[in-house]
Amino acid sequence: MSGHELSYVANKHFSIVLLNEVIADLVNAHARLDISQAWGDGTAVAADGTHMDTYLDNLLSETSVRYGKPGGIAYHHVSDTYIALFTHFIPCGVWEAVYIIEGLLKNTSEVQPTTVHADTQGQSFPVFALAHLLGFDLMPRIRNWKELTFYRPSKQSEYVHIDALFGEPGKNVIDFDLIESQFRHLMRVAVSVREGTISSSTLLKRLRSGSRKNATYAAFREVGRVIRTVQLLRYLSDAPLRRVTAATNKVESFNRFSHWIGFGNRGVIADNDPIEQEKAMKFNALLTNTVIFHNALDIAEIIRQLLEEGWEIDPEDLAHISPYLTEHINRFGEYSTHELGIQPDAYDPKLDVDFIPLREQGPTAAGLGQAA
């Protein structure tokens, strides 16, 4: 590859880095708005993909089994405050769940969630294991409960009321000796992922297809069995935790909102270049986040007006307002180029509303309702 070609590729990668930085700056500004407290505290994120069309003759497109048409996947990590923290563009043929951790680690904003909600693909043992080793609480949608296996800590373990969940007595036992013997290797791999030496998506792909004879792969599986069993028991014993569907509604609503905003070229990705495809997704996420931020400012301004008129504002009512509003947005735009050099007035992030009661209600309070 010539020096000119290397420079061209480096510049394109640099533009993606800049896009990520701009998105992080916008996420930070949104997090400082008082109104964002009505929707969440930033500790939870939902990850999900949405299909993006490409042309049939696009050399890099694949036909999605899930969606039944060619294209790629825009994979978003959407905060409980409605804004997207990170966006990937991935091929249709890959296992989406391998990107659950990747987006969390590449998110450079001040909003650093510790709980990640995901769709049913997140039920995988390797994803549970890696999420736990990296300090994330993975809470996927759980489907087909009757087909899921609960694992015992030992052959002697029996439970008075729920033993039937664990199958035949003495069966489905965790191999803790294997986990102990491989613990250093597991932590070494986790640190490598955290430090960026190996990507989480690459690791999870290998773990999914890895040989069962490999001790480290088997240890990851055993850790995943432990964490998933504990999580299943948590779901059964704690009704609020079963509201994962309500949490993932936000990312699904974000997908619809970003599709509505990305109307150009009928939403079809025309580029063959994967870097350009990634840039297109990040530009769309940036524009979507910008509209969310704009809507949040408008909502806050209306609240101020109501407060000045003597209205009493209940923060729980604000929790049910979504910033995915479209009625007042002119997608086709009115472009006043003479205004480009005008410095906008500073916005006020503060609201005279007490949001503390929402946080005291626990994780199923504000921010987990159905997005508008």
Side-chain angles (χ1 to χ4, degrees), residues 48-359:
D48 192 25
T50 182
H51 182 269
M52 303 299 297
D53 289 327
T54 60
Y55 290 124
L56 290 174
D57 58 354
N58 187 312
L59 295 177
L60 298 179
S61 71
E62 299 182 44
T63 298
S64 169
V65 175
R66 179 178 176 184
Y67 299 99
K69 52 185 177 180
I73 302 295
Y75 200 77
H76 301 295
H77 285 68
V78 177
S79 169
D80 55 10
T81 60
Y82 285 103
I83 201 162
L85 305 182
F86 196 81
T87 293
H88 275 296
F89 185 68
I90 60 179
C92 279
V94 304
W95 179 40
E96 291 180 26
V98 303
Y99 289 94
I100 291 175
I101 308 298
E102 192 88 346
L104 294 172
L105 297 177
K106 289 188 174 181
N107 163 40
T108 60
S109 74
E110 296 169 1
V111 179
Q112 293 291 321
T114 54
T115 298
V116 54
H117 301 279
D119 64 12
T120 54
Q121 294 191 55
Q123 296 182 69
S124 163
F125 293 136
V127 181
F128 266 111
L130 186 58
H132 177 74
L133 292 175
L134 291 171
F136 298 114
D137 188 11
L138 175 62
M139 297 179 63
R141 281 176 172 162
I142 302 297
R143 190 176 294 171
N144 300 324
W145 277 79
K146 292 182 179 180
E147 299 176 8
L148 298 181
T149 301
F150 289 64
Y151 290 86
R152 303 175 187 272
S154 69
K155 289 185 177 180
Q156 294 75 32
S157 299
E158 294 184 7
Y159 305 95
V160 177
H161 301 294
I162 59 171
D163 201 62
L165 295 174
F166 296 82
E168 185 180 342
K171 302 293 185 179
N172 303 324
V173 179
I174 299 295
D175 189 347
F176 281 104
D177 291 336
L178 174 64
I179 294 176
E180 183 178 1
S181 68
Q182 294 295 313
F183 187 75
R184 286 191 176 184
H185 296 290
L186 295 178
M187 295 308 301
R188 188 179 296 118
V189 171
V191 170
S192 296
V193 170
R194 188 188 64 191
E195 298 301 318
T197 305
I198 181 176
S199 74
S200 63
S201 58
T202 300
L203 172 66
L204 288 170
K205 288 174 186 175
R206 292 184 62 186
L207 290 175
R208 193 187 190 203
S209 59
S211 169
R212 294 184 179 182
K213 297 180 181 179
N214 184 291
T216 303
Y217 288 179
F220 261 100
R221 179 197 62 205
E222 292 302 300
V223 172
R225 287 174 171 175
V226 172
I227 304 304
R228 194 179 77 173
T229 298
V230 171
Q231 201 71 305
L232 291 175
L233 292 171
R234 288 178 65 196
Y235 282 137
L236 288 175
S237 62
D238 191 342
L241 287 180
R242 296 198 290 271
R243 300 185 186 179
V244 178
T245 299
T248 53
N249 280 341
K250 282 190 176 179
V251 70
E252 292 172 354
S253 295
F254 179 92
N255 289 337
R256 292 191 293 269
F257 190 55
S258 64
H259 272 296
W260 183 85
I261 288 175
F263 65 91
N265 199 32
R266 299 185 302 279
V268 177
I269 305 299
D271 286 289
N272 275 328
D273 187 337
I275 297 179
E276 292 301 319
Q277 292 173 338
E278 182 84 359
K279 284 169 60 178
M281 290 301 94
K282 291 186 183 297
F283 273 121
N284 175 257
L286 175 60
L287 181 57
T288 304
N289 279 355
T290 303
V291 176
I292 291 169
F293 183 72
H294 173 82
N295 284 343
L297 292 177
D298 284 351
I299 293 170
E301 185 58 34
I302 293 172
I303 293 170
R304 289 190 195 93
Q305 294 174 11
L306 292 173
L307 289 171
E308 290 175 359
E309 294 173 7
W311 290 83
E312 183 177 340
I313 303 298
D314 187 339
E316 191 167 347
D317 291 337
L318 300 181
H320 296 285
I321 299 175
S322 163
Y324 299 153
L325 306 173
T326 60
E327 290 82 358
H328 63 303
I329 303 296
N330 183 356
R331 282 193 299 178
F332 299 101
E334 295 178 358
Y335 302 98
S336 302
T337 56
H338 69 282
E339 296 180 355
L340 294 178
I342 299 177
Q343 184 72 21
D345 295 333
Y347 60 85
D348 185 1
K350 301 298 181 183
L351 276 178
D352 190 17
V353 177
D354 182 10
F355 293 103
I356 294 178
L358 291 180
R359 302 284 78 80

